[in-house]
Amino acid sequence: MMRRFCSVLLCIAMILSLAGCRKEAEAEPTDDSRFVIGFSQVGSESDWRIANTKSMTETFSNDPRYKFVMENARQKQENQFASVRRFILDGVDLILIAPTIEEGWQTVLQEVHDAGIPVIIMDRSVAVWDDNLFLTNIGSDFLGQGKKAADWLNKETKGDDQVNILHLQGTIGATAQIMRTKALEDAVAEHDNWVVTEQLYGDFTEAKAYEVMTEFLRTNTDIDVLYSENDNMTFGAMRAFDEAGITYGKGGQVKIITFDATKEALQYCMDGKIDLCVECNPLFGPQIKDLIAQYRKGEEIPKHVYVDEKVFTSADLDQALIDAREY
Ligand code: AHR
């Protein structure tokens, strides 16, 4: 009798737990209803990049209407190609690409196009002959940033004899490098007294910049200006200057121009260690979301969207502004 009673109880418990499972399964949102975005990110080479990744993930991962799949390419274009091809196989609804470098995208973008998947290029650009291969390209006006830096330097060095410029370059072939370099080279061509004494390759990272700067400063110290294509390379260069006993910033030997205007760089700028911070705004996740929404409604979206950016010297800064800075 007792055994029969126990088996009845066991059956009831099993039925109840099965019913519970069914309920839970029904409550889960199905993947099918979500808009799936595959995102190939450059890497995590800089504070700018980390802020950009945060802006993207916060924008899309917190919205239940989207499934956001990000793959980190670790600064290698071949990793990006592999990710994009995986996204095609997975049948995502849209592919977002922050390209490492501009060249080499024609074939893989054609494959995405043939698969009928829309593409948005963000941050940097791609050099393809058919711009129907992507919906839009959103990011910075890198040439404009370089021109702002050159304009500032022009005013700062009026009347100087020779201006020796040390140029730290980011990833060769990336739009941020190509355009910031072009702006400097164009300006040098217009100034008889400006000389680029050396171009050093820092790959947008602090470690690489520190390494090449340390080596360079062993034999060359005649530098008036450092034109550094991002903040992290600038931090590496500052460390190398410190170790070589070279002064910089207000009242120092070297004027420093840096790109990105991260919180840390702005603090150095206010403290007189960096002379000019040219802003490169990484927080465009929400703008991309708006563009996607427009596209899904069938509205026309612009082929190129530039984000808002400015420049800062110490005169433009106060602690409240820096403390409130999001990146
Ligand atoms: O493409 C944007 C650039 O890439 C930023 O200036 C730099 O910090 C990043 O690595």
Side-chain angles (χ1 to χ4, degrees):
M1 178 69 180
M2 191 56 188
R3 267 181 61 196
R4 243 176 80 201
F5 179 68
C6 283
S7 20
V8 171
L9 271 184
L10 195 67
C11 278
I12 294 172
M14 276 169 70
I15 290 166
L16 283 178
S17 92
L18 275 176
C21 286
R22 271 246 314 275
K23 235 184 167 166
E24 247 174 48
E26 278 166 11
E28 279 283 306
T30 57
D31 272 3
D32 302 345
S33 59
R34 289 188 284 170
F35 189 80
V36 183
I37 298 176
F39 173 37
S40 172
Q41 175 62 294
V42 169
S44 23
E45 74 282 6
S46 61
D47 295 344
W48 186 99
R49 186 68 52 197
I50 287 158
N52 179 248
T53 297
K54 187 163 175 266
S55 170
M56 298 301 293
T57 47
E58 281 180 0
T59 301
F60 291 103
S61 304
N62 293 336
D63 187 332
R65 292 169 301 171
Y66 293 93
K67 182 175 172 190
F68 190 67
V69 184
M70 190 190 95
E71 295 201 1
N72 182 326
R74 303 186 194 292
Q75 283 184 280
K76 292 206 165 20
Q77 192 185 36
E78 63 264 30
N79 291 343
Q80 300 207 282
F81 293 164
S83 293
V84 169
R85 291 188 169 118
R86 251 190 313 275
F87 294 148
I88 298 176
L89 285 177
D90 291 348
V92 300
D93 296 306
L94 184 138
I95 296 178
L96 267 171
I97 303 170
T100 45
I101 56 171
E102 288 194 357
E103 297 292 336
W105 286 97
Q106 184 71 37
T107 305
V108 76
L109 287 186
Q110 188 64 55
E111 289 170 29
V112 185
H113 192 255
D114 294 346
I117 300 172
V119 170
I120 291 181
I121 306 294
M122 53 165 278
D123 167 23
R124 303 171 184 173
S125 307
V126 289
V128 287
W129 53 264
D130 179 4
D131 70 1
N132 287 319
L133 295 180
F134 56 89
L135 292 178
T136 184
N137 183 180
I138 172 168
S140 293
D141 175 3
F142 295 111
L143 185 64
Q145 292 174 358
K147 283 182 176 167
K148 289 178 202 166
D151 285 350
W152 176 85
L153 190 58
N154 180 41
K155 287 182 200 127
E156 288 294 308
T157 58
K158 270 238 148 72
D160 289 5
D161 293 339
Q162 180 163 316
V163 181
N164 289 337
I165 304 168
L166 178 59
H167 180 191
L168 253 181
Q169 292 182 294
T171 309
I172 302 298
T175 315
Q177 176 277 315
I178 295 173
M179 293 304 176
R180 290 169 184 165
T181 293
K182 178 175 166 38
L184 176 64
E185 288 175 346
D186 288 352
V188 168
E190 287 168 11
H191 291 79
D192 293 340
N193 59 335
W194 289 14
V195 179
V196 174
T197 46
E198 192 71 51
Q199 288 183 315
L200 297 176
Y201 178 57
D203 203 18
F204 286 130
T205 69
E206 187 165 338
K208 185 74 188 158
Y210 171 71
E211 180 194 314
V212 294
M213 284 291 295
T214 303
E215 189 53 39
F216 180 76
L217 295 176
R218 277 192 225 287
T219 47
N220 307 272
T221 52
D222 192 5
I223 307 159
D224 301 310
V225 177
L226 173 72
Y227 181 94
S228 166
E229 290 179 358
N230 88 341
D231 285 351
N232 288 84
M233 292 195 297
T234 304
F235 303 150
M238 286 161 67
R239 203 146 44 95
F241 280 143
D242 288 338
E243 288 173 9
I246 295 174
T247 57
Y248 49 87
K250 270 213 168 75
Q253 176 191 325
V254 183
K255 292 187 201 325
I256 296 187
I257 297 173
T258 186
F259 293 84
D260 286 353
T262 56
K263 194 176 192 145
E264 194 177 348
L266 290 182
Q267 188 68 58
Y268 280 127
C269 186
M270 197 178 83
D271 297 345
K273 293 285 184 189
I274 288 178
D275 296 276
L276 183 74
C277 288
V278 183
E279 187 174 43
C280 183
N281 180 359
L283 308 177
F284 45 82
Q287 250 177 295
I288 291 185
K289 191 166 154 186
D290 288 347
L291 288 169
I292 293 175
Q294 275 174 262
Y295 161 74
R296 292 181 71 194
K297 276 193 258 164
E299 291 171 16
E300 192 148 328
I301 55 176
K303 202 74 204 178
H304 214 122
V305 180
Y306 288 126
V307 295
D308 284 341
E309 289 163 342
K310 32 181 173 310
V311 295
F312 301 92
T313 64
S314 59
D316 305 306
L317 294 167
D318 59 44
Q319 200 57 50
L321 188 152
I322 294 172
D323 292 344
R325 188 84 171 158
E326 279 184 64
Y327 70 99

